Amino acid sequence: MQPHAYGAHEVMELHEVLNEAVNAINTAQLYAPYVRDPELSHLLGHQLQFMQNEYNSMVHTVHGLGAGEALPYRPASAIAAAHAVMGTMQSGQMPQMYPQTYPQTQQPNVHPNQMDDRDVSSAMLGLHKSGATCKMAAALEAAHPQLRNMLLQSAVNCANQAYEMWGYMQRKGYYPFLTMQPTANAQLLRGYQPASEGSQGAGQQVTPPPAAMPSPHNGTVITNAVEPEGPASQQTSAISGVSYPSPTLQRPANASQIFSSPTYRQEHYGVSEETQVAADAEGTLTAEAYSSLSQPTDNRQGRSRKKGASDSTIG
């Protein structure tokens, strides 16, 4: 892997991964002297050696000194039971379950000399689970593809080591495989059903219905379109969907018939005697009003003319 400019998030994640790997190796070395079971001693030594090799490979990769190839973890070949447990990862079958001898009471040890095989195996199981979580989170933040693949493989390696350690604990009765009642399983899991194939996908477009503005009074649809004259059109209620006939549009009329021409009144309204008399009276009043308004003007003009005549005589 060639050196490249690391992103800030990559640097922080690599720092967490390498620091966690150092702590896991140191912790495993502290627990090794307290192991009494030869099977667990062999298993712990095998995993500790792999953890050290993997750590060195990661350091070389980060410094750009190695190829960066992350090898998968392989179980301890001298442990037949571990082979059986690890073999189920490829076959997809559950390993053989052994009689459960879960201890009745648990409490912290008062002195380190009280450490037993269960304490060591349980601590190693927790270390591998923590390492898998840390490395998978770092892989999700990696930008370089080769660095990402290395972190992904390292996370899988921790998960496989945890599964191998759990298999040892299960055989010894340190980690019982407890089950629930079939009715509880049915209530929790069988309620989930596959998605319907006929359901509308997210990529399909949904045609929205035409927008309508309901009236606050009767729920009829109000539009801005002016309908032409003709038969009564139908209006649909926005609430109940019932159609109502709309009223026929009326022809616009003059506000006052008396100011309309006789031809217009005769064509649109028909002129009655009362209307004609009112129009004639209104016309007479109008003529008188105009006549009265014009009289003062004529008097002023006459006075002006008289003044001009006298002035000219004097001169």
Side-chain angles (χ1 to χ4, degrees):
M1 175 178 175
Q2 298 296 329
H4 72 287
Y6 290 105
H9 55 289
E10 286 182 315
V11 173
M12 295 303 298
E13 294 296 337
L14 287 174
H15 166 70
E16 293 293 333
V17 167
L18 295 175
N19 187 66
E20 190 277 336
V22 171
N23 294 336
I25 293 173
N26 294 338
T27 304
Q29 292 175 345
L30 290 175
Y31 281 119
Y34 298 98
V35 176
R36 299 180 177 87
D37 186 3
E39 180 181 354
L40 179 59
S41 178
H42 190 279
L43 176 58
L44 179 59
H46 177 76
Q47 292 188 352
L48 182 57
Q49 182 65 36
F50 179 84
M51 293 165 63
Q52 292 173 345
N53 294 337
E54 184 182 48
Y55 169 78
N56 292 334
S57 177
M58 294 178 63
V59 171
H60 292 163
T61 302
V62 170
H63 293 170
L65 302 177
E69 182 180 2
L71 298 177
Y73 174 75
R74 301 187 182 279
S77 58
I79 306 176
H83 272 294
V85 172
M86 295 297 293
T88 58
M89 297 182 187
Q90 288 77 22
S91 62
Q93 300 176 359
M94 285 294 296
Q96 180 182 357
M97 296 298 129
Y98 294 86
Q100 308 303 318
T101 57
Y102 200 83
Q104 297 297 325
T105 58
Q106 299 184 48
Q107 60 184 6
N109 298 325
V110 179
H111 193 272
N113 293 332
Q114 296 177 343
M115 196 83 62
D116 56 9
D117 295 332
R118 181 195 173 280
D119 297 329
V120 175
S121 58
S122 179
M124 292 302 301
L125 177 64
L127 288 176
H128 294 317
K129 288 182 178 180
S130 177
T133 302
C134 179
K135 293 172 182 177
M136 181 58 69
L140 297 176
E141 299 297 333
H144 196 280
Q146 193 170 357
L147 182 63
R148 174 179 176 274
N149 293 335
M150 180 192 69
L151 292 172
L152 284 174
Q153 184 60 58
S154 184
V156 173
N157 292 339
C158 288
N160 290 340
Q161 292 177 88
Y163 191 69
E164 183 183 35
M165 189 60 69
W166 171 82
Y168 168 82
M169 297 180 65
Q170 199 275 327
R171 291 192 308 273
K172 300 297 183 179
Y174 302 149
Y175 200 127
F177 185 77
L178 303 178
T179 59
M180 301 177 64
Q181 295 295 330
T183 55
N185 296 338
Q187 291 178 358
L188 293 177
L189 301 179
R190 293 183 183 178
Y192 297 96
Q193 298 298 327
S196 175
E197 297 182 358
S199 60
Q200 193 170 15
Q204 300 180 359
Q205 285 188 347
V206 180
T207 303
M213 182 175 62
S215 172
H217 302 291
N218 55 10
T220 55
V221 177
I222 301 176
T223 61
N224 294 330
V226 179
E227 299 184 8
E229 299 180 10
S233 60
Q234 298 291 328
Q235 291 184 349
T236 304
S237 172
I239 299 177
S240 59
V242 181
S243 299
Y244 300 94
S246 61
T248 305
L249 298 178
Q250 299 294 334
R251 184 186 301 274
N254 200 328
S256 177
Q257 298 182 12
I258 61 178
F259 294 104
S260 304
S261 64
T263 304
Y264 182 87
R265 292 197 301 270
Q266 182 65 32
E267 179 181 354
H268 293 85
Y269 306 106
V271 182
S272 62
E273 270 185 38
E274 297 178 358
T275 306
Q276 184 64 37
V277 170
D280 294 342
E282 183 70 20
T284 303
L285 294 175
T286 303
E288 293 178 355
Y290 279 113
S291 177
S292 62
L293 290 174
S294 62
Q295 289 179 0
T297 304
D298 295 341
N299 293 334
R300 287 195 300 269
Q301 291 178 355
R303 288 195 297 269
S304 299
R305 286 195 299 271
K306 290 179 181 180
K307 183 178 181 181
S310 62
D311 293 341
S312 60
T313 304
I314 294 173

